[in-house]
């Protein structure tokens, strides 16, 4: 497969943003080259250099980044000026799989290595969000919840919201036991069935489609959702995949900021 640029951007998001790939960093070994994983085998110097390069590509100040602390829940945090630098330069002191803000120059960062990640921009009220939607968070409806939180905090109209969905594992590679389909059906009812297919004694699950369905249910318009249709498990040249690489891997990120 062709090598992708250092970051992927979406035409519908008009503020600084980007999804990272495996390329453009300085890490070596199994994390080569753009490894943005915290507390990994790489040196802190290499990690900070990678973040510096990533932020430079997006066009933001690395010292002001706010990193999620993902625990596979539906926790959404309102990030404020007081959070600038948390994750890289200061302890986070919170757990959150989603971040929202209307503060300027406060880049929000979420992580993925197969899980769904999405960036949201409210161009009317000048607000943003970043969210991690693994299968547990998806079953909890985190994609819909972050839309609801932006509406509550910033008066966001979901019909005006612009969303970019980053690379994640696709149905071709996401094979599960009954726990995942059962959780999705319990959460979404008959809507979930379109995204689940039997595969022998297991099931193949369309995590991207399920996360998108939550956005649609929350009132986001289909034409306002841009999808980077790369399967992280299929395209290991360009992306990190927990399913394929286990713990010997880095992570990619989604980042968004108001300038």
């Amino acid at each position: 497969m062709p090598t992708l640029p250092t970051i992927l951007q979406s035409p519908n998001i008009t503020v600084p943003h980007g999804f990272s790939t495996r390329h453009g960093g300085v890490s070596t070994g199994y994390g080569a080259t753009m490894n943005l994983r915290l507390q990994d085998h790489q040196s802190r110097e290499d990690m900070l250099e990678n973040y510096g390069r990533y932020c430079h590509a997006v066009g933001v100040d690395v010292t002001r980044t706010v990193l999620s602390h993902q625990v596979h829940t539906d926790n959404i945090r309102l990030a404020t000026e007081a959070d600038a630098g948390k994750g890289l330069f200061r302890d986070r002191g919170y757990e959150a799989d989603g971040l929202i803000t209307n503060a300027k120059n406060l880049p929000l960062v979420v992580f993925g290595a197969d899980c769904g990640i999405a960036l949201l921009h409210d161009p009317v009220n000048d607000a943003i969000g970043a969210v991690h939607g693994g299968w547990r968070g998806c079953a909890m409806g985190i994609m819909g919840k972050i839309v609801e939180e932006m509406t509550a905090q910033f008066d966001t109209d979901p019909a005006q919201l612009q969303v970019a969905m980053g690379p994640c594992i696709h149905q071709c590679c996401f094979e599960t036991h009954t726990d995942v389909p059962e959780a999705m059906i319990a959460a979404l009812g008959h809507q979930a069935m379109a995204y689940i297919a039997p595969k022998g004694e297991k099931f193949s699950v369309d995590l991207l489609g399920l996360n998108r369905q939550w956005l649609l249910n929350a009132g986001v318009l289909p034409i306002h959702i841009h999808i980077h249709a790369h399967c992280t498990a299929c395209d290991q040249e360009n992306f990190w995949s927990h399913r394929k690489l286990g713990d010997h891997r880095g992570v990619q990120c989604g980042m968004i900021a108001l300038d």
Side-chain angles (χ1 to χ4, degrees):
M1 293 185 181
T3 298
L4 297 177
T6 302
I7 62 169
L8 303 175
Q9 295 180 306
S10 298
N12 60 330
I13 304 291
T14 57
V15 295
H17 74 285
F19 297 99
S20 68
T21 67
R22 288 185 64 162
H23 308 294
V26 299
S27 296
T28 58
Y30 66 72
T33 63
M34 181 56 81
N35 183 4
L36 297 166
R37 191 177 182 184
L38 302 181
Q39 299 173 333
D40 199 24
H41 74 289
Q42 66 181 330
S43 69
R44 178 166 174 78
E45 290 75 17
D46 284 354
M47 183 191 68
L48 290 178
E49 177 64 22
N50 286 345
Y51 270 94
R53 292 186 179 199
Y54 177 34
C55 289
H56 178 75
V58 174
V60 299
D61 182 352
V62 67
T63 67
R64 293 182 53 78
T65 51
V66 182
L67 275 55
S68 61
H69 186 183
Q70 297 169 191
V71 288
H72 294 275
T73 67
D74 60 350
N75 295 339
I76 307 293
R77 178 176 178 82
L78 173 62
T80 68
E81 184 66 28
D83 292 318
K86 287 187 177 179
L88 278 184
F89 304 101
R90 295 193 292 143
D91 289 340
R92 283 167 285 191
Y94 53 78
E95 293 181 343
D97 284 75
L99 300 167
I100 60 174
T101 194
N102 61 355
K104 301 288 187 180
N105 304 312
L106 200 65
L108 308 180
V109 182
V110 290
F111 305 91
D114 281 339
C115 292
I117 53 178
L119 306 175
L120 305 91
H121 177 217
D122 175 354
V124 176
N125 296 289
D126 213 17
I128 55 173
V131 60
H132 159 257
W135 76 261
R136 291 178 179 83
C138 179
M140 295 178 188
I142 192 169
M143 292 287 172
K145 183 171 181 180
I146 196 169
V147 175
E148 294 171 359
E149 287 296 311
M150 291 183 71
T151 298
Q153 295 290 338
F154 314 126
D155 201 27
T156 293
D157 178 356
Q160 299 292 333
L161 198 60
Q162 299 288 335
V163 181
M165 302 188 75
C168 71
I169 194 168
H170 285 202
Q171 190 167 13
C172 54
C173 296
F174 191 25
E175 185 178 294
T176 78
H177 294 286
T178 58
D179 52 346
V180 178
E182 287 173 355
M184 299 304 175
I185 293 168
L188 282 167
H190 72 278
Q191 284 186 325
M193 298 303 296
Y195 307 103
I196 300 166
K199 191 174 184 180
E201 296 182 354
K202 297 184 178 181
F203 298 86
S204 58
V205 178
D206 181 0
L207 180 63
L208 174 65
L210 287 159
N211 274 325
R212 180 178 177 273
Q213 187 63 57
W214 281 110
L215 291 168
L216 296 175
N217 289 355
V220 179
L221 301 182
I223 59 171
H224 292 169
I225 302 174
H226 179 259
I227 295 172
H228 289 281
H230 305 277
C231 175
T232 50
C234 284
D235 189 0
Q236 295 171 63
E237 177 183 344
N238 292 305
F239 302 103
W240 301 109
S241 169
H242 180 73
R243 283 262 167 160
K244 296 296 185 178
L245 300 171
D247 207 44
H248 283 62
R249 57 163 176 80
V251 298
Q252 49 260 347
C253 294
M255 177 187 293
I256 189 168
L258 293 171
D259 52 8

